[in-house]
Amino acid sequence: MSWLALALLAPFLWACSNIFDKYALDKISRGNYDFLFFGTMGSFFILVLTYAVFGVKETGTLILIPILAGMCVQYS
């Protein structure tokens, strides 16, 4: 896959995510706090599923940095 296709795919997926977020805020959730809670829980379950499927022999402290950064981005 060429770099141009990858460069165009990222903004497209970001726009799709924003459209889904707006729809979910308007139609599905009761407010911002419900939306954030369920979005965070979804990310947590995906993390657990990823660990279950691929397995991790030893989780070092360095893996906690991206996990905490993702949590901070979600809550911001």
Side-chain angles (χ1 to χ4, degrees):
M1 189 176 266
S2 74
W3 65 269
L4 182 61
L6 290 174
L8 293 175
L9 183 65
F12 173 73
L13 292 175
W14 191 8
C16 291
S17 171
N18 288 336
I19 291 169
F20 173 75
D21 289 348
K22 180 161 178 48
Y23 176 78
L25 277 170
D26 289 343
K27 304 292 183 187
I28 297 173
S29 68
R30 295 182 193 140
N32 292 340
Y33 296 112
D34 285 345
F35 180 73
L36 286 175
F37 175 74
F38 289 118
T40 304
M41 291 306 293
S43 299
F44 176 74
F45 287 130
I46 288 174
L47 176 70
V48 171
L49 181 68
T50 303
Y51 275 149
V53 170
F54 296 110
V56 176
K57 294 179 182 175
E58 182 178 320
T59 304
T61 56
L62 288 178
I63 194 69
L64 294 177
I65 294 170
I67 291 172
L68 290 174
M71 290 171 62
C72 290
V73 166
Q74 185 69 28
Y75 283 118
S76 68

